[in-house]
Amino acid sequence: MNGAEWLARSLKASGQTHFFFVDAVLRRTLLEMERVGVQPVLAHTEKAAAYMADAYGRISGRPGVVAAQSVGAANLAAGLQDAWLGRSPVLALTGHKPLGHQHRNAYQEVPHAPLFAPVTRHAAQVEIAGDLPRQFRQAWAAAVSAPPRPVHLDLKGLMGEFVEISETEAEPAALGAWTAPRHRPVADAASLRAAVAALRSTDSVVIVAGDGAALSGCGAEVLALAQLLRAPVATSLGARGLIDTRDPHAIGVVGSYSAPPANRIVHAAELVLFIGCDTGDQLSHAWRIPAPGTRIIQIDADPLEFERSYATEVALLGDPLATLAALVAELGEPARDGALLGQAQALMAEWRAAMAPRLASDAMAIDPARLAAEITRALPADGILVADTGYSGIWTGTLIDLAPGQTYLRAAGSLGWAFPAALGAKCAAPARKVVCWSGDGALYYHLTELETAKRRGIAVVLVVNNNSGFGQGWPNYLKQAGNRPVAAEQVLRFGPTDFAALAGQFGLRGIRVERPGDLAAALAEAMAAEETVVVDVVTDIDCRAPEPWAP
């Protein structure tokens, strides 16, 4: 069979339901994919297509597949930054002009390898279909290893056409069982014993579970350990909802996108157990939390995460789920005084009480805290919540409560990621309701994907936190501008825009919400629809999200 047939049939046999792309690339393969039942999703920008594949990979565990022709490769590489930072399996396919055309000012051609090097674990050129089976398997295996990362195959031809038309004798690959994380090794016995000894040596222990823990799916094991140790549990933003956010052990997101209690509690601990954490500046609030000198135990599937930011007393190399199960068995039932947990519960109760009036606020323009409370009530038990970066991440990460069974996806840094990602998440989980929280500033990046949602029949609930500006930086910048508020407005304000009316122009339903009492009904109507619905919520740009505590 030719390369186009092999690739299309291999994607189908590997469980892929959708293929995200920007024309013109792999046109023969696209025709074959549609014939065998893999749905092509044409996006309007390469970055949007990459974000769709990113979320598809996070939800399905299989690499989301995204493609662009040679001239689109630079845009596609830029779109993989979030997948790289978010530990998402993505297989990127691009075309490249033949080697004989390279370094000769070929039209629109630049070297691809330097573009993809910072955002891929593995990259290779594919010159003929005979090499495709081996390189496809190698790339797929690399994408789903721990931690998952994007990979890149650069196919010969502007659109990859040389690989499509050449022949291979190999049978299609069926790699659907290769999901992330593909391997689940357990930490060695000596490390487990050392960790148990350290955990037993103090009652002042806090657990911090990160994105790697969420990827491993170890929420039950984290909670079991927390119950044995009587320890509070904080999470990274990406691990929000790993355990029920209302559980007595849960203290919320730690770091720069935190409500105040989590940082205070983690900072007070004598020993912190990191589980699948990158220990970067966002998680640690610029490496201040935990405090320097705090005792550290770290569980991670990636050995490069040890000693990255904190000196580690015990390092356990292994899959978080498998290693936690072994650790719980080794630990037994130690005597604990629970003092730190009691303090944590008191701080959490105090903070929730302080926030309660805002969660029920009837103010107009609407306080985003009230919007967060309404989404908590509206999100189904198996719902998926997708949030953008910046204030969208802080509002959703601190004020929307989540339970196991619900899934939280967040942007790893690129503004505008959430709406295309929500479309990709829905493709991966068609039976689940997907709710996207996007600010208006973020939505402007990829507003045109409303057309994609309509054309492909992808149904998500797009909630726009519409405050006619970039809310996160607004008050401080206004203060900096002093007696020149117009100067601040020129930088951070825009609109006002009626996104519900815009939705109608794309042939979709839009609901404009200006009164907080109308939120519940609007969300219920949107959840019941079998098409994308835009819920445009007019909010107050001067309302502040919870601020992190710092020592």
Side-chain angles (χ1 to χ4, degrees), residues 518-531:
D518 295 336
L519 279 168
L523 290 170
E525 179 182 341
M527 293 283 187
E530 296 301 325
E531 64 175 351

Side-chain angles (χ1 to χ4, degrees), residues 339-522:
L340 184 59
L341 179 60
Q343 295 168 21
Q345 290 169 343
L347 280 172
M348 289 299 293
E350 180 183 351
W351 179 73
R352 285 186 178 273
M355 290 302 300
R358 291 189 61 186
L359 297 175
S361 171
D362 286 325
M364 294 171 53
I366 295 169
D367 187 335
R370 173 67 184 269
L371 174 58
E374 296 294 346
I375 291 177
T376 295
R377 286 188 279 269
L379 191 67
D382 65 346
I384 299 171
L385 176 64
V386 184
D388 230 294
T389 191
Y391 244 26
S392 296
I394 299 174
W395 288 117
T396 56
T398 57
L399 295 180
I400 292 180
D401 279 312
L402 297 165
Q406 297 172 322
T407 302
Y408 180 79
L409 299 182
R410 55 94 185 190
S414 299
L415 194 64
W417 175 88
F419 177 45
L423 299 179
K426 183 64 175 180
C427 289
R432 300 173 67 183
K433 291 293 181 182
V434 177
V435 177
C436 174
W437 177 305
S438 174
D440 52 333
L443 185 57
Y444 282 120
Y445 276 76
H446 299 294
L447 183 65
T448 49
E449 300 309 329
L450 285 169
E451 189 279 331
T452 305
K454 174 65 176 179
R455 168 172 37 89
R456 298 304 301 166
I458 306 171
V460 304
V461 177
L462 172 57
V463 178
V464 187
N465 178 29
N466 187 357
N467 55 19
S468 298
F470 286 127
Q472 187 171 5
W474 170 246
N476 288 338
Y477 199 65
L478 188 62
K479 184 183 296 185
Q480 286 177 332
N483 63 356
R484 298 172 58 233
V486 173
E489 291 173 0
Q490 289 175 339
V491 174
L492 294 182
R493 299 301 301 267
F494 35 73
T497 299
D498 186 334
F499 289 99
L502 271 176
Q505 294 298 308
F506 284 97
L508 295 168
R509 194 183 322 178
I511 306 171
R512 179 88 165 175
V513 182
E514 297 178 345
R515 297 179 300 181
D518 295 336
L519 279 168

